[in-house]
Amino acid sequence: MATASVAFKSREDHRKQIELEEARKAGLAPAEVDEDGKEINPHIPQYMSSAPWYLNAEKPSLKHQRKWKSDPEYTKSWYDRGAKVFQAEKYRKGACLNCGAMTHDAKACMERPRKVGAKWTNKYIAPDEKIEAFELDYDGKRDRWNGYDTSSYAHVVERYEARDAARRKFLKEQQLKKLEEKNTNQVPEDAASDEDNDEDDLRVDEAKVDESKQMDFAKVEKRVRTTGGGSTGTVRNLRIREDTAKYLLNLDVNSAHYDPKTRSMREDPLPDADPNEKFYLGDNQYRNSGQAIEFKQLNIHAWEAFDKGQDIHMQAAPSQAELLYKNYQVIKDKLKTRTKDTIMEKYGNAATEEELPRELLLGQSERQVEYDRAGRVIKGQETVLPKSKYEEDVYINNHTCVWGSWWKDHQWGYKCCKQTIRNSYCTGAAGIKAAEAATDLMKANIARKETTEEISAPVEEKRLATWGTEVPDDLVLDEKLLAEALKKENDKKKVEKDERKRKYNVTWNDEVTVEDMEAYRMTKVHHDDPMKNFLH
């Protein structure tokens, strides 16, 4: 600020201060000096020469511009969990109605609700909790581990230690088992060297790095679906750069959708092309071919097993999930085979039975039968032909053929007389000729009728009268009288609809003319008429 900031009590003091500054600029008044007697430069910012009147300060200060409140005592301590401060022997006024503690009310009580509260029983008074109030600093408010109890992580360490101990115990048992087998069998030197190699394989070096992890350095990895990092995934959909990009195979905007973020095209861009000439069928082909289907079935099995109570998780323990799935497949195949064998044992299997010999199929046997010239049996027994439960070669109504021996125009009949009625009497060849003659006569009559209908003159339509009878030829309707009758009929219907306009003196005319009947018919509403709603 160019001049000292001063608070004035009145306008007069303000005016005098302005005149004094102007006089000092003109050299007519002495310059302003500080407490040490030094001249004050008006162009350099200075401290306040006089404090505001509301501070009641005797000397100039900057107290109103400073952070005059003292800094609170920040701490990084945390609440003392479960600490108690006082144990009362009887109920106190204002305490919790349920447990009797003074540090909370019944609504915030964390103890199990008692059947009769401590206020009325005056027994089992709960101790007062330790209530702490402290203010954290900037870092303390944002410290996510502030108040963390390190002893709560002990169970995790114990679980891993128990796992390592069980693993070492198992390896030791395996080594002892190998040594016992070696001492028992007394194997040759070559086999003994193999056993030593196996024992070396069983020893686990904890500091040794897994070779499979070292072999992954050649993989090309990228960040997947993350903003600033996160899970990585191996690039699997690499292509030769000389090949056409998948989004350039079909430039139609309505073709398969291409997602540039994930570089995926799920559908086939050229569904109508020859499959033998296409090198890309869409990303969905990877999901429906190869080991993708097996992996999908493995996931489904893990989900279903978890829903049924099995402690299995595909991501947490993939080896366990795969082993359980293999065991499930083996048990399923055994059960299926057992069921199949049970059914075959009970009902048999016609597909695997041996074929019947040809002699039995053709009715041949080793039995010898002799016949004479007349066809009579001389020696042996004649072969009995198999018979059906239905009657065979039984002819009725003088027929010489059975029913169904003739077929024509989608109808069965008799071949002897070509009749399609089952209970008809056989007429033989004469009946066939009569039927053919009747058919030819019917065809001739139909042709003659068609030619007659083409030549016949149009028939005049009869005019029907309005009341249902035929209209006489000499009947003529007057158009003017018909129009008046229509108007009269419409007025009559309007009067019938509005009873308030009907007069007391009504005159009737019993004479009905032809025009009146025609008007009545034209205005009458036929309730059975489907077009009645379109009449005006």
Side-chain angles (χ1 to χ4, degrees), residues 463-483:
R463 293 170 55 195
L464 298 178
T466 54
W467 47 88
T469 57
E470 295 184 0
V471 179
D473 297 335
D474 56 349
L475 178 62
V476 178
L477 295 176
D478 192 352
E479 297 295 335
K480 292 182 179 180
L481 296 177
L482 181 60

Side-chain angles (χ1 to χ4, degrees), residues 144-156:
R144 60 183 298 194
W145 297 105
N146 191 6
Y148 176 72
D149 187 8
T150 56
S151 61
S152 62
Y153 192 71
H155 70 281
V156 180

Side-chain angles (χ1 to χ4, degrees), residues 168-208:
R168 286 192 295 268
K169 182 179 178 182
F170 175 75
L171 292 175
K172 189 175 181 180
E173 292 177 355
Q174 291 292 328
Q175 291 176 0
L176 293 174
K177 186 177 180 181
K178 292 288 183 181
L179 290 174
E180 291 177 359
E181 292 178 356
K182 178 181 177 181
N183 296 331
T184 304
N185 298 332
Q186 296 293 331
V187 294
E189 295 181 356
D190 296 338
S193 61
D194 296 339
E195 294 292 338
D196 294 337
N197 295 332
D198 295 339
E199 292 176 7
D200 295 337
D201 295 339
L202 289 174
R203 297 188 183 92
V204 179
D205 187 5
E206 299 295 341
K208 186 178 179 181

